[in-house]
């Protein structure tokens, strides 16, 4: 696991600047820093040693022409190594990334189709005209951002946004349409970021950049398939349990101890159960809050830990300290994410690191793979139009409230360029697939990588912790794509196949409990007189908001008064989201201009 960065083009980035870029993602790879640079290009990495601790030095070199840096894990590297050795390739160590130059030399860019894992890879090929190829995994588990400077004919890339901005060639300009995007979906997703001109590579992407030419993005598909029958529910459930167990067993392989995150819900409980069946002495981690708050799941997590004999860690977070964490969380995320669980995630990963673990396995992605959210069931069973209610379920505030929050000038901007809600609606209505398949495809392609996986990636690596995500592995993704609707959402119930897979293994209390979101209960915590309310109030400075001219300060003040007198979850989340946005603007010194036009790339 590492952080990677680099550039290709006619700009010249000196060693001091490359060191600054590297240092800003040092926590993601504190075990080694390295960089290789020549005329017109440089690639570098920060290494977090997980596999092959004594080897794996990057950049990897393949002959005279191939240079590679790599972030992630390749779980099938032993099998690939054996095949390559039969073809005459030799390797100096057992680190998973060491096989990449040989794999690329053998298959060219097709090499990526053989990889089982999570990864972001950068390849410099020195044959003929120098080329840079950037690659991401099928689910987007590992982030990679880039900026193309048309004037300098140079592309810059990095695993994290603060690091990318350290190249100092990249304007910290607000993508103005991102504000409407953010409040409509809680995060900017797809290829766009909140920084104008800065892009995120989507899942299953190859970005080719030839020296002197504009980069070109293409998509790729994996050779890995599930090979699980989907004709009979009971047989498929049995196969899935076996296959998930094999996936978890692969993810447990490391040269450092591996733990699990156990929230007390179905998804993480099943992962903890399967991990305990493969390895003795599993440590599980659960986060809860000091005091008596809604949505507390620690009793369920304890029951799972007792059932499977894990060494269980209950991480207690004091809400009085939330405001102290906010700046760090905003910085490490790099752009606004409206989910309050970001605070809890940050604290949880810090506790995992302090307990001596570099690796943990989480249950993220199960809802998107197997149909786990209530909004899926509501959309499937809605009579008449389902698209607008579904889009409404994604956001911070509904369309009417967003309109009230916007300044007059920003309303005019949205009117002229079209709202993000309209663009998402157009995308969904163009689908020729069934209702549930349309939703799940949309969520896996756009929302899962941006809203969930980047949060997990950035906040875990802020504490030098690697999170492995079995539900997002390519074979599980392949299986999920082939399931009939009734095995996912049926009769108002969600994740039917995954519940059936877990029967007889997990405690009945886990299987029969009401599903609840893994989130921070901010509606209870953001009350007048409590520290979090004070922090949010301070972040939403009236004069600053007036000067920025994106939001209406009177509308924001009205929300603060409403939360103070008649608190609710909806109001609290809206205020939280606005405050996160303001903190992001301030910390990154983002400039605001109304000159940029709206463009949705979906």
């Amino acid at each position: 696991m590492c952080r990677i960065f680099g550039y290709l083009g006619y700009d010249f980035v000196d060693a001091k600047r490359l060191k600054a870029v590297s240092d800003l993602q040092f926590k993601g790879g504190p075990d080694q820093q390295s960089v290789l640079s020549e005329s017109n290009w440089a690639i570098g990495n920060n290494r977090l040693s997980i596999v092959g601790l004594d080897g794996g030095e990057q950049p990897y070199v393949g002959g005279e022409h191939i240079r590679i840096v790599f972030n992630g894990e390749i779980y099938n590297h032993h099998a690939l190594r054996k095949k390559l050795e039969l073809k005459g390739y030799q390797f100096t160590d057992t680190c998973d990334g060491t096989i990449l130059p040989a794999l690329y030399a053998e298959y060219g860019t097709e090499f990526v189709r053989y990889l089982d894992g999570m990864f972001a890879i950068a390849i410099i090929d020195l044959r003929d005209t120098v080329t840079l190829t950037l690659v991401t995994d099928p689910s987007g588990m590992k982030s990679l951002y880039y900026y193309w400077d048309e004037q300098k004919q140079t592309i810059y890339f990095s695993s994290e946004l603060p690091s990318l901005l350290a190249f100092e060639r990249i304007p910290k300009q607000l993508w103005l349409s991102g504000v409407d995007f953010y409040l409509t979906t809680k995060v900017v997703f797809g290829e766009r970021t909140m920084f104008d001109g800065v892009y995120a590579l989507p899942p299953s992407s190859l970005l080719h950049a030839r020296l002197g030419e504009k980069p070109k993005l293409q998509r790729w598909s994996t050779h890995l398939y599930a090979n699980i029958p989907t004709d009979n529910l009971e047989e498929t459930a049995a196969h899935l349990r076996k296959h998930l167990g094999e996936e978890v067993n692969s993810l447990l392989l490391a040269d450092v101890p591996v733990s699990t995150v156990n929230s007390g819900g179905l998804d993480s409980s099943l992962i903890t159960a399967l991990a305990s069946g493969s390895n003795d002495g599993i440590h599980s981690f659960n986060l809860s809050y000091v005091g008596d708050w809604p949505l507390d799941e620690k009793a369920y997590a304890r029951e799972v830990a007792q059932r499977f004999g894990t060494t269980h860690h209950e991480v207690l977070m004091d809400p009085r300290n939330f405001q102290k964490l906010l700046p760090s969380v905003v910085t490490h995320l790099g752009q606004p994410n409206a989910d309050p669980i970001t605070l809890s995630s940050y604290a949880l990963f810090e506790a995992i690191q302090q307990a001596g673990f570099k690796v943990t396995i989480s249950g993220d992605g199960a809802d998107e793979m197997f149909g786990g959210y209530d909004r899926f069931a509501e959309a499937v069973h809605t009579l008449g139009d389902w698209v607008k209610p579904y889009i409404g379920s994604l956001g911070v505030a509904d369309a009417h409230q967003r309109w009230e929050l916007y300044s007059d000038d920003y309303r005019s901007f949205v009117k002229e360029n079209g709202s993000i809600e309209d663009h998402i609606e157009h995308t969904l209505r163009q689908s020729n697939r069934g209702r549930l398949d349309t939703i799940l495809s949309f969520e896996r392609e756009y929302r899962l990588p941006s809203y969930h996986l980047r949060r997990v990636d950035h906040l875990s690596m802020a504490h030098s912790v690697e999170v492995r995500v079995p539900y997002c592995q390519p074979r599980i993704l392949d299986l999920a794509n082939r399931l009939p609707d009734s095995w996912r959402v049926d009769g108002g119930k969600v994740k039917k196949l995954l519940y059936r897979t877990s029967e007889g293994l997990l405690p009945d209390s886990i299987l029969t409990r009401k599903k609840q979101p893994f989130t921070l209960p901010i509606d209870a915590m953001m009350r007048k007189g409590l520290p979090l309310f004070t922090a949010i109030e301070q972040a939403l400075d009236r004069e600053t908001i007036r000067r920025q001219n994106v939001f209406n300060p009177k509308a924001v003040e009205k929300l603060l008064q409403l939360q103070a007198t008649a608190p609710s979850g909806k109001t609290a989340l809206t205020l939280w989201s606005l405050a996160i946005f303001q903190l992001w603007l301030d910390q990154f010194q983002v400039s605001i201009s109304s000159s940029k036009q709206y463009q949705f790339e979906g």
Side-chain angles (χ1 to χ4, degrees), residues 422-431 438 442 446 600 602:
D422 291 340
H423 286 273
I424 293 175
E425 181 180 352
H426 177 71
T427 299
L428 294 173
R429 293 195 190 282
Q430 278 189 317
S431 172
T438 294
F442 178 80
Y446 296 114
F600 176 63

Side-chain angles (χ1 to χ4, degrees), residues 159-351:
S159 298
E160 297 182 10
L161 285 165
S163 170
L164 181 65
L165 295 172
F167 276 105
E168 289 196 336
R169 285 13 180 217
I170 300 162
K172 291 187 285 188
Q173 175 79 39
L174 173 68
W175 180 50
L176 197 60
S177 300
V179 178
D180 187 52
F181 209 144
Y182 173 60
L183 292 187
T184 302
T185 62
K186 298 181 185 173
V187 73
V188 172
F189 53 57
E191 296 176 47
R192 300 304 298 246
T193 73
M194 287 290 272
F195 293 99
D196 191 56
V198 175
Y199 292 83
L201 260 73
S204 290
S205 289
L206 279 164
L207 188 76
H208 296 285
R210 185 180 296 273
L211 186 63
E213 297 178 9
K214 186 175 181 178
K216 296 177 181 178
L217 184 70
Q218 70 179 70
R219 309 304 288 270
W220 62 273
S221 58
T222 180
H223 282 321
L224 305 177
Y225 301 100
N227 295 321
I228 295 178
T230 55
D231 297 328
N232 179 278
L233 176 62
E234 301 300 332
E235 290 182 7
T236 304
H239 278 286
L240 178 57
R241 184 190 292 191
K242 179 177 181 293
H243 188 68
L244 264 176
E246 293 169 351
E247 292 284 358
V248 170
N249 188 56
S250 294
L251 272 58
L252 286 167
L253 297 177
D255 295 326
V256 296
V258 180
S259 60
T260 69
V261 172
N262 181 11
S263 70
L266 172 73
D267 310 333
S268 61
S269 296
L270 179 56
I271 294 304
T272 297
L274 294 172
S276 301
S278 294
N279 278 21
D280 294 329
I282 289 291
H283 286 241
S284 57
F285 287 81
N286 170 263
L287 186 135
S288 58
Y289 310 102
V290 174
D292 186 17
W293 303 102
L295 308 178
D296 192 338
E297 299 182 281
K298 62 176 174 284
Y300 298 106
R302 282 179 197 160
E303 186 176 2
V304 171
Q306 290 168 359
R307 165 75 70 94
F308 297 104
T310 70
T311 300
H312 193 55
H313 303 254
E314 287 189 356
V315 180
L316 273 178
M317 187 178 184
D318 192 337
R320 291 173 296 184
N321 295 328
F322 283 170
Q323 68 272 26
K324 298 177 184 177
L325 296 181
L326 277 170
S328 294
V329 170
V330 170
T331 296
H332 285 292
L333 286 173
Q335 62 179 335
N337 182 315
D339 193 342
I341 200 61
T342 52
L343 276 184
S344 308
S345 299
Y346 185 82
L348 176 63
F349 295 132
E350 181 179 38

Side-chain angles (χ1 to χ4, degrees), residues 92-112:
T92 58
D93 60 48
T94 59
C95 185
D96 56 338
T98 307
I99 67 169
L100 290 175
L103 204 63
Y104 176 75
E106 185 67 23
Y107 299 109
T109 55
E110 291 287 301
F111 85 99
V112 68

Side-chain angles (χ1 to χ4, degrees), residues 15 205 264 303 306 338 340 352 358 392 460 482 487 539 545 564 589:
S205 289
E303 186 176 2
Q306 290 168 359
I352 291 172
K358 281 185 171 183
S460 61
R482 295 188 284 113
W487 291 10
I545 292 173
Q589 295 295 292

Side-chain angles (χ1 to χ4, degrees), residues 27 92 122 138 199 245 313 369 380 407 469 487 514 538 556 575:
K27 285 287 188 179
T92 58
Y199 292 83
H313 303 254
M369 298 301 152
V380 167
S407 68
V469 194
W487 291 10
K514 180 177 173 57
Q538 290 173 349
V556 175
L575 287 169

